[in-house]
Amino acid sequence: MKRRDFGQYCGLARALELVGERWALLIVRNLIVRPRRYSELQTGLAGIPTNVLASRLKELEQTGIVERQVAPAPARGVVYALTEVGRSLEPALLSLARWGATQLGDPQPGDVVSPEGVVLNLRAVFQPSQAAGLTAAWEIHVRDVVAHAVITDGVLTAGLGPSPVKPDLIITPKLADDELASYRAIITALRDGVVELEGSRKLLDTFLRVFTVPRLA
């Protein structure tokens, strides 16, 4: 497939030439959370055709946004990871995610939520002004997904899997069996008290204050 070339000497046009193809930014989203094997990317990007994933990865490698790495022990094989150039996309991606969150309607049949999307939301809605001087660790358990958010003196680290430090509060939202496990649904459950808590319960209010869902005025 011939890549898009706008023929304009413009930073936005160049960015779209590099990451504006279908699925490209979602691949970057998943790799921002952590390096992934090809099969993991395919599983985490439900609906992506195999040939499109292969093409996007090749294009992102050629432009220096993605690179292949040897998986660290004890794992074996090759994983795809963001380069320094690729990682520098995170602020722009988070800004775009915040804006997109204000444009979401109700979930549609067939919509899915990826674990990486939950982590991206944690990072996107994080309010540094509310977290100044704060040190706390949360684990969020949603069905078969575990994510963590650790704030150390106001600085956030969020990712998939158990917290790297002992969590101060484990949060398990109680969602209906047919309810999409979106970030919006998780926050709604927490605000409504439809949640199981293990640990310092007062940190639930702190979590809701620090990880607010953006709204347009």
Side-chain angles (χ1 to χ4, degrees), residues 3-206:
R3 288 184 57 78
R4 185 182 290 124
D5 184 352
F6 296 107
Q8 296 189 26
Y9 191 70
C10 164
L12 179 58
R14 181 57 178 155
L16 290 173
E17 289 169 359
L18 295 174
V19 294
E21 296 290 348
R22 184 171 172 82
W23 293 101
L25 278 180
L26 293 182
I27 293 172
V28 173
R29 176 200 67 185
N30 284 18
L31 294 181
I32 276 176
V33 175
R34 66 184 183 193
R36 290 292 196 179
R37 297 179 185 274
Y38 183 93
S39 59
E40 291 173 328
L41 284 170
Q42 192 168 30
T43 300
L45 295 166
I48 189 171
T50 301
N51 64 321
V52 173
L53 177 56
S55 295
R56 290 295 93 84
L57 285 171
K58 182 178 180 181
E59 292 161 0
L60 292 169
E61 282 186 87
Q62 289 173 340
T63 53
I65 294 170
V66 168
E67 64 182 1
R68 301 185 196 200
Q69 297 178 351
V70 176
R76 294 182 178 180
V78 172
V79 295
Y80 291 90
L82 295 179
T83 63
E84 184 176 351
V85 170
R87 290 191 297 274
S88 70
L89 277 166
E90 182 166 354
L93 203 65
L94 295 181
S95 292
L96 193 58
R98 282 191 291 269
W99 180 82
T102 68
Q103 306 302 309
L104 282 174
D106 293 329
Q108 299 301 306
D111 282 351
V112 299
V113 172
S114 72
E116 290 83 3
V118 173
V119 173
L120 190 78
N121 272 287
L122 283 169
R123 296 181 185 180
V125 303
F126 174 63
Q127 303 294 305
S129 62
Q130 297 294 326
L134 176 66
T135 295
W138 297 267
E139 274 185 13
I140 303 95
H141 295 215
V142 188
R143 297 190 177 126
D144 59 346
V145 173
V146 177
H148 62 266
V150 178
I151 300 176
T152 305
D153 196 19
V155 178
L156 172 67
T157 302
L160 288 174
S163 170
V165 298
K166 184 178 181 352
D168 299 295
L169 180 63
I170 298 174
I171 299 171
T172 306
K174 295 181 179 179
L175 303 182
D177 291 341
D178 60 348
E179 188 173 7
L180 194 67
S182 66
Y183 190 78
R184 178 185 294 180
I186 293 169
I187 292 297
T188 298
L190 269 54
R191 286 175 171 159
D192 292 346
V194 188
V195 60
E196 292 181 1
L197 302 175
E198 181 181 339
S200 179
R201 301 175 71 89
K202 66 180 181 181
L203 284 176
L204 177 60
D205 289 339
T206 305

